[in-house]
Amino acid sequence: MNREERELVAAEAIYLVEQWLAAADKEGARSPAEKRLAKILKDPAGLDWTLKFVDRVIRPTDKKVAASELAKLSKKLPKSLSALDRMTISFGGLLAKPFSFIVIPTAKARLRQLVGHLIADARPGKLTKHISKSKSDGISLN
């Protein structure tokens, strides 16, 4: 490839990236939920806490086990959480053990609300539907 061809390829690549950036700008700003999630995941303490929350509160099927873990995790919250989220999680941690039947489903619903657009639901039937839709939309899945 000679110099002129390389310059043409580079110019086409730059043009393509500019088009992508313009399209991203047109789609608008992130939702408040996406901004909150990005903030906590950029914080090393926030990322660690979030992983523990998912593994210890969201994943267990036993509500009492999840409630016990929520009570523990609610005592040391990352500063990257908003004041409202810290207050809500602290309150949930206080009520988790005696009211696990309400608190744990609420915590799971809230997490789905925050990250549902990023994570596929693995429940029977839901995952198959999600994979089919994603593939038909041209999305490759991790």
Side-chain angles (χ1 to χ4, degrees):
M1 185 179 288
N2 66 33
R3 181 183 171 131
E4 282 181 18
E5 291 171 325
R6 285 193 305 268
E7 287 177 1
L8 181 60
V9 168
E12 288 174 355
I14 290 168
Y15 176 77
L16 182 58
V17 170
E18 287 172 344
Q19 297 303 307
W20 289 342
L21 292 172
D25 284 343
K26 286 180 185 174
E27 289 178 15
R30 292 181 183 174
S31 72
E34 289 172 319
K35 288 177 185 176
R36 281 192 304 274
L37 182 62
K39 183 179 176 184
I40 194 168
L41 295 180
K42 285 180 186 175
D43 171 8
L47 176 58
D48 182 58
W49 185 89
T50 302
L51 292 174
K52 287 178 182 173
F53 183 84
V54 170
D55 287 341
R56 298 176 183 179
V57 178
I58 302 303
R59 189 165 289 149
T61 55
D62 185 322
K63 288 182 183 74
K64 294 200 182 291
V65 169
S68 177
E69 292 299 322
L70 178 57
K72 292 175 194 172
L73 284 171
S74 69
K75 289 181 168 81
K76 189 170 182 187
L77 300 171
K79 293 187 182 350
S80 53
L81 283 170
S82 71
L84 179 60
D85 284 337
R86 284 194 308 271
M87 182 184 73
T88 305
I89 294 166
S90 294
F91 188 62
L94 289 172
L95 298 176
K97 288 182 181 180
F99 297 103
S100 62
F101 60 96
I102 295 172
V103 173
I104 298 307
T106 302
K108 288 181 180 190
R110 178 68 174 135
L111 185 70
R112 272 193 208 98
Q113 191 178 44
L114 289 171
V115 298
H117 62 291
L118 301 173
I119 299 171
D121 188 336
R123 291 180 287 184
K126 302 268 185 181
L127 182 60
T128 304
K129 183 178 176 183
H130 177 80
I131 291 170
S132 296
K133 181 176 180 341
S134 295
K135 284 185 177 180
S136 71
D137 291 344
I139 298 170
S140 75
L141 300 173
N142 179 346

